[in-house]
Amino acid sequence: RKEVEQDPGPFNVPEGATVAFNCTYSNSASQSFFWYRQDCRKEPKLLMSVYSSGNEDGRFTAQLNRASQYISLLIRDSKLSDSATYLCAVNRGRDDKIIFGKGTRLHILP
Amino acid sequence: SAVISQKPSRDICQRGTSLTIQCQVDSQVTMMFWYRQQPGQSLTLIATANQGSEATYESGFVIDKFPISRPNLTFSTLTVSNLSPEDSSIYLCGHRGLYEQYFGPGTRLTVT
């Protein structure tokens, strides 16, 4: 099983819709969880950290399910500018290095 | 987070040669990292650049192929040696915040 797994997509979603991504991780010792956004030909940028209690930042909501070892990202009222690749990341646990999933491509359609 | 710059932003190199990538951070940081992102793939950690000691390499990456320097707390270099087309990739340096990872703009390497 890969350390971090994501559905690669692409997700083609009409503008204004709600879209959800899931990401599973294999190491139960992982303690830190993140969602990154990567635009074409750019570096990944931190979108939000994911806390145990779940957290929200505007249209974005992140949740953590430790029992099932997955994190999720919900985007409400999607905008054209949300089109990007979304990477989940977790710390490895044994040495705190951060490892990334392959990313999920999102296309918001006008 | 500290601002990270990388040079060069891109390069095209012939097989068998080497490329050295520079990473500069605008403030002192304890941990610096080098990642690789191959086409259509996610980021793979190459090594941790340690100031004053040898870099710590991940499984599958060796010092002879990817020598790293970290002369001070704001600067690091990664050399990709004996280039082959399989080394064509984006190479990103980064540093850690409290828990999260931040990245420089990346160096896009094409090996012909």
Side-chain angles (χ1 to χ4, degrees), chain B residues 86-101:
Chain B
E86 292 71 36
D87 295 320
S88 296
S89 186
I90 299 172
Y91 292 85
L92 298 118
C93 72
H95 77 91
R96 290 287 294 274
L98 185 59
Y99 299 110
E100 64 281 4
Q101 184 76 37

Side-chain angles (χ1 to χ4, degrees), chain B residues 35-62:
Chain B
Y35 283 80
R36 178 174 74 181
Q37 189 172 31
Q38 293 176 305
Q41 302 296 313
S42 187
L43 294 96
T44 301
L45 180 62
I46 298 171
T48 305
N50 303 308
Q51 195 269 330
S53 64
E54 276 195 5
T56 307
Y57 290 84
E58 295 297 303
S59 175
F61 296 95
V62 295

Side-chain angles (χ1 to χ4, degrees), chain A residues 32 34 36 38 41-46 49 87 91-92 94-103, chain B residues 10 31 33 35 37 40-43 45 48 56 58 90 92 96 99-106 108:
Chain A
S32 303
F34 312 94
Y36 282 76
Q38 185 172 25
R41 306 180 83 82
K42 298 284 189 182
E43 75 274 22
K45 294 191 175 175
L46 181 66
S49 301
L87 303 163
N91 77 320
R92 190 156 58 186
R94 67 176 184 269
D95 58 10
D96 206 34
K97 301 291 167 52
I98 294 180
I99 53 175
F100 289 79
K102 283 191 171 185
Chain B
R10 58 177 59 231
M31 303 175 80
F33 301 90
Y35 283 80
Q37 189 172 31
Q41 302 296 313
S42 187
L43 294 96
L45 180 62
T48 305
T56 307
E58 295 297 303
I90 299 172
L92 298 118
R96 290 287 294 274
Y99 299 110
E100 64 281 4
Q101 184 76 37
Y102 296 100
F103 293 97
R108 184 177 295 272

